[in-house]
Amino acid sequence: MASNRNTTLTLDGTAYEFPVMQGTHGNDVIDIRALGGKAGVYTYDSGFLSTASCQSSITYIDGDKGELLYRGYPIEQLAEKCNFLEVAYLLKNGELPNTEQKSKFENTIKSHTMVHEQLSRFYQGFRRDAHPMAVMVGVVGALSAFYHEAMDNSDAEHRSINFNRIVAKMPTIVAMAYKYNTGQPFMYPRNDLDYTANFMHMMFGTPCETYKPNPVLVHALDTIFTLHADHEQNASTSTVRLAGSSGANPFACISAGIACLWGPAHGGANEACLTMLEEIGDVSRVGEYIKRAKDKDDPFRLMGFGHRIYKNFDPRAKLMRKVCADVLAELGLHNDPLFKLAMELERIALEDEYFVDRKLYPNVDFYSGIVQRALGIPTSMFTCIFSLARTVGWMTQWEEMLTDPEYKIGRPRQLYIGAARRNVPDVR
């Protein structure tokens, strides 16, 4: 966005002016692209905590207010009034679809749900007990070997084809990873079902009988997809953008994003949350672990509480809390030991002064992990579900970067702290 004012930076007595850019929401940004040429210095910002790497019109987060917007729409309204494919259309095109556009988009996605039959043989190259995310990284990257006729990133039609392809095929690929791990036969897509119901059919159906999706459970998983579709310039999204800046094909870029998301500090949070609940084991031990969480000298931390970005209640968590209650009620799981334990932890976190004062509220990972466990999804698949949903955001961000007239291949600077220049001795 164009600048309407400048700011002055003084270094060693010399003043340098730099434009100040202002967005629709959020902090102003100092454009320091000319800093190296003007002043001969660079900025240092490990973790990019104060650096805007791009201009984007897709997602906006206000962590202090607990606000998340997709293309300007509050996430609460989208999750209540739209299904995941409508949200996918919004992220890709900038506006919600009308009835005709929605129908056409859904039909287009359905036409791409199958994967090349030879691709199914790739799974046999993995051990049966391989982590599903390892399988995902390999299989998604391999898509470029099968769908390579639309690889001109400068062509809008090619970009659209690849968006539709990978969004359509991700549920199939994720479900196949699950089926391979469990030893069950792959289930072909059913295009008479909607996007999320079809995914559940491929995950939980067998050739023995017709799978009948439960509307309450389908809505719950569809909500999880919507809430995870995009989240500004996080680590995996930045990875996709950086890989894409080299001109790499979109399947390779998404594979890179999946690899980044796999990290326990990023997409593995809901898996870590369920692992923690299993470690606690019983409601009777909650007090012991709460005490440990408050002890600064104890390395134990409550997973699924608090968020790096949201300094207030995670808006996605509010939505997932209701979905979680609906799912537990539908499945009659309120007395399940693990879910009773989770609800007791939630109660304490919302009432205990230690957590309230520090705003360590249950986050979206806490509730989404519980919901997925209730649906019968194993913890090893949680991050695969996350990557399925986030692919929509990744592809949207990838295309936005490619169509930005200011886009360049990513090349961060560094602060070199190694040995100074020296000569190799003649005798060693």
Side-chain angles (χ1 to χ4, degrees), residues 283-302:
V283 173
S284 63
R285 302 185 66 194
V286 169
E288 169 192 343
Y289 279 84
I290 290 293
K291 183 178 180 181
R292 289 183 60 188
K294 295 178 180 180
D295 185 352
K296 63 180 181 180
D297 296 323
D298 193 316
F300 173 78
R301 294 291 180 268
L302 281 180

Side-chain angles (χ1 to χ4, degrees), residues 34 44 46 61 66 94 96 113 143 171 205 261 280 299 315 328 365 368 407:
Y44 179 77
S46 178
I61 300 169
L96 286 167
T113 52
L143 289 173
L261 188 70
I280 297 174
L328 295 183
D365 298 310
S368 66
Y407 119 80

